[in-house]
Amino acid sequence: MAEQKIKVLIAKPGLDGHDRGARVIARGLREAGMEVVYTGLRQTPEQIVRAAIQEDVDVIGLSILSGAHSYLFPEIMERLKKEGADDITVIAGGIIPEQDVGALKELGVKMIFNPGTSIQEVVDFIKKEIQG
Amino acid sequence: MEEILKGIKAGEERAVARAITLIENNPSERERLLQGLYPLARLPYLIGITGPPGSGKSTLSEKLIRAWRARGIRIGVIAVDPSSQSSGGALLGDRIRMGDVAVDQGVFIRSMATRGALGGLNPVVFDTVLLLSAAGYDYILIETVGVGQNEIDIVNLANTTLIVTIPAAGDEIQSLKAGLMEIGDIFVINKADLAGADRMVLTLEQMTALEGATEESWLPPVLKTIATSGEGLPGLIEGIDRHYQYINKYGLLEEKRKVIIKKQLISLLEKRLKERVLEPLIGSAEFKRAISRMLNFEEDPYTLVEKLLQEKGV
């Protein structure tokens, strides 16, 4: 029992109802030995941040296809900061246009994965980020 | 550590969450934490809920939490899911059904993987219960998938145990392990709008009646619910209330606690004895000599064990 496990929250903010990608990632991370909390569809920024704090995760992975990232991500990052939880690594994936990436990274989103990213790339990124 | 303890006393979620991670990951920090925590701990009311995947446990939990919150009760939830045996990872999905109770300030939900723990008293779950009680949660709900002995043992910590199942055609009894039948205080047939629900009620009632109800013993009720629509929920809440009154009337809350702390002390003693006596003994020259004597049929294992223990002064 005495072992360090990387714990990841996979959340889908916003209103689109497609979580296949999020589920594939969640499974892939589990297969890589991580403990993955999956919160399901249509999560508000408040729900995501509260879950991340209670679960004490190392990483939050946000999956978004609706295009509302420029509206939802700032709120999530702000709430994390307010709760003193901005040490949690935030990554994102889904459909995020190239021109928005810079602004999101400026907010503190560590990495944005485009469609076509392999699970191994995500696993490697998380391991490097958390375990150094 | 001081800071974490202060945070827990103040009911700060971040401190509580960090402390649970310490309990999960770090045995030596965990000991220091528990030493500081013990004077703050209280005797919480523990409700266990278990049943096969897809039986609607989480949806039922959400409905129960909502009803308890309306009474002003603060609730801690420990949702346990099995770790994958091949990868060691886990998919923890119990939050999916929690909806907006997950943002209620009086509710703390923590998902937890079993991490290959063997059966018996799971120290991580037990210590987390203590921690949540110290942080001021009145009811603690433990949710597990009722498939293995491990899960049964976890739910067995509870003061009131709900066994959730769904109507099944044919081999309905097969879907409930014998061990589950024995620990259930309330049986819930969820998704009771599916065919076969009434027959399932009847079968379960016949099985629980076999336990033989006397004046003081509890006859586990068999209740039908449809968690998604809320049908049958008032009856379930009333059933839990009745069981709570029952265990209080007969002092069973304290009695259960006594049984559990005795188990905890024994398992801690076993662990320390193993570390301090057994492991050094196995590494000793006498032990190697004993093995070779046995290999050559010079001396029997029973005599050798006594000799080894005597040499150690045990």
Side-chain angles (χ1 to χ4, degrees):
Chain A
M1 285 232 130
E3 49 188 328
Q4 212 85 30
K5 291 265 180 201
I6 297 177
K7 197 166 178 183
V8 184
L9 179 82
I10 297 291
K12 265 201 65 64
L15 297 177
D16 74 274
H18 304 279
D19 67 344
R20 193 183 154 84
R23 281 170 190 266
V24 169
I25 290 288
R27 275 214 188 104
L29 297 182
R30 178 189 64 178
E31 291 317 308
M34 300 180 196
E35 293 184 345
V36 185
V37 180
Y38 180 57
T39 58
L41 291 167
R42 300 187 188 90
Q43 297 285 299
T44 63
E46 187 188 8
Q47 282 174 320
I48 292 168
V49 171
R50 193 104 189 284
I53 287 173
Q54 291 184 344
E55 301 288 353
D56 196 23
V57 295
D58 306 296
V59 178
I60 301 174
L62 299 169
S63 164
I64 191 157
L65 304 168
S66 66
H69 45 270
S70 300
Y71 169 71
L72 292 165
F73 285 18
E75 196 186 335
I76 293 170
M77 302 310 283
E78 214 164 278
R79 277 180 181 273
L80 282 173
K81 196 175 252 171
K82 214 179 87 200
E83 301 283 343
D86 46 350
D87 54 322
I88 300 174
T89 299
V90 179
I91 57 176
I95 297 173
I96 295 168
E98 195 56 47
Q99 68 260 31
D100 294 346
V101 168
L104 294 180
K105 284 202 167 162
E106 220 154 89
L107 282 173
V109 178
K110 278 276 161 61
M111 187 67 181
I112 289 159
F113 295 99
N114 292 316
T117 307
S118 76
I119 286 170
Q120 196 56 47
E121 285 171 63
V122 182
V123 169
D124 291 343
F125 181 84
I126 291 175
K127 283 194 172 158
K128 210 178 107 221
E129 197 60 36
I130 302 305
Q131 294 168 336
Chain B
M1 186 61 67
E2 281 307 306
E3 215 165 288
I4 287 188
L5 282 171
K6 231 197 296 166
I8 293 167
K9 244 186 276 189
E12 281 168 26
E13 290 203 334
R14 195 104 219 262
V16 175
R18 286 250 155 103
I20 298 175
T21 307
L22 281 185
I23 291 173
E24 284 186 296
N25 288 347
N26 192 325
S28 59
E29 293 270 289
R30 160 159 135 215
E31 273 177 35
R32 290 210 296 135
L33 178 76
L34 265 291
Q35 282 161 358
L37 213 58
Y38 220 81
L40 308 174
R42 301 177 302 156
L43 181 58
Y45 176 48
L46 266 167
I47 303 112
I49 180 163
T50 193
S55 56
K57 292 179 298 293
S58 297
T59 311
L60 272 176
S61 296
E62 188 259 343
K63 293 284 188 329
L64 290 173
I65 293 167
R66 213 176 274 277
W68 291 329
R69 283 301 295 145
R71 299 178 187 174
I73 294 164
R74 302 185 75 225
I75 301 143
V77 181
I78 307 173
V80 184
D81 277 308
S83 297
S84 152
Q85 284 192 344
S86 52
S87 73
L91 200 51
L92 312 166
D94 294 290
R95 276 183 177 269
I96 297 174
R97 314 271 174 231
M98 286 298 173
D100 40 303
V101 303
V103 289
D104 186 323
Q105 291 300 322
V107 182
F108 187 98
I109 303 169
R110 179 65 171 236
S111 316
M112 206 174 261
T114 50
R115 297 195 184 176
L118 301 168
L121 188 71
N122 183 320
V124 170
V125 176
F126 185 71
D127 288 347
T128 303
V129 167
L130 268 184
L131 166 69
L132 290 173
S133 82
Y137 294 95
D138 312 300
Y139 281 18
I140 294 166
L141 185 68
I142 306 180
E143 204 182 301
T144 71
V145 181
V147 285
Q149 190 58 42
N150 214 341
E151 284 76 11
I152 293 176
D153 286 336
I154 289 171
V155 173
N156 212 8
L157 280 176
N159 303 112
T160 299
T161 300
L162 313 184
I163 309 285
V164 183
T165 185
I166 50 171
D171 293 338
E172 53 264 73
I173 302 174
Q174 300 286 341
S175 67
L176 285 180
K177 290 181 73 106
L180 281 180
M181 285 303 299
E182 280 161 30
I183 63 167
D185 297 307
I186 296 172
F187 291 88
V188 182
I189 297 176
N190 192 33
K191 306 190 184 178
D193 48 342
L194 296 177
D198 289 327
R199 215 175 66 151
M200 186 106 175
V201 171
L202 218 63
T203 316
L204 279 176
E205 275 176 349
Q206 281 165 355
M207 286 171 78
T208 54
L210 286 178
E211 307 287 318
T214 58
E215 185 76 17
E216 306 91 60
S217 73
W218 170 260
L219 181 67
V222 182
L223 306 170
K224 287 195 290 183
T225 58
I226 305 171
T228 46
S229 72
E231 221 178 297
L233 255 296
L236 175 58
I237 289 159
E238 196 236 300
I240 296 170
D241 286 343
R242 273 203 302 126
H243 192 252
Y244 181 75
Q245 285 155 10
Y246 165 80
I247 57 179
N248 271 309
K249 186 174 165 196
Y250 292 102
L252 298 179
L253 214 60
E254 281 289 343
E255 198 174 295
K256 180 93 185 194
R257 178 154 183 262
K258 226 193 255 170
V259 172
I260 290 169
I261 57 180
K262 191 174 157 195
K263 268 195 210 165
Q264 188 195 21
L265 255 187
I266 292 173
S267 80
L268 272 178
L269 276 170
E270 278 173 352
K271 198 170 151 246
R272 294 288 152 89
L273 283 171
K274 199 174 154 215
E275 285 166 6
R276 291 183 199 170
V277 180
L278 187 62
E279 279 163 11
L281 190 70
I282 289 172
S284 70
E286 290 94 338
F287 185 78
K288 284 199 194 92
R289 226 176 3 253
I291 288 185
S292 72
R293 289 186 72 79
M294 271 175 70
L295 272 173
N296 299 322
F297 296 104
E298 289 168 355
E299 213 163 357
D300 69 281
Y302 305 99
T303 313
L304 283 167
V305 162
E306 283 306 320
K307 277 189 184 167
L308 282 172
L309 287 175
Q310 262 164 27
E311 271 162 41
K312 284 278 158 194
V314 186

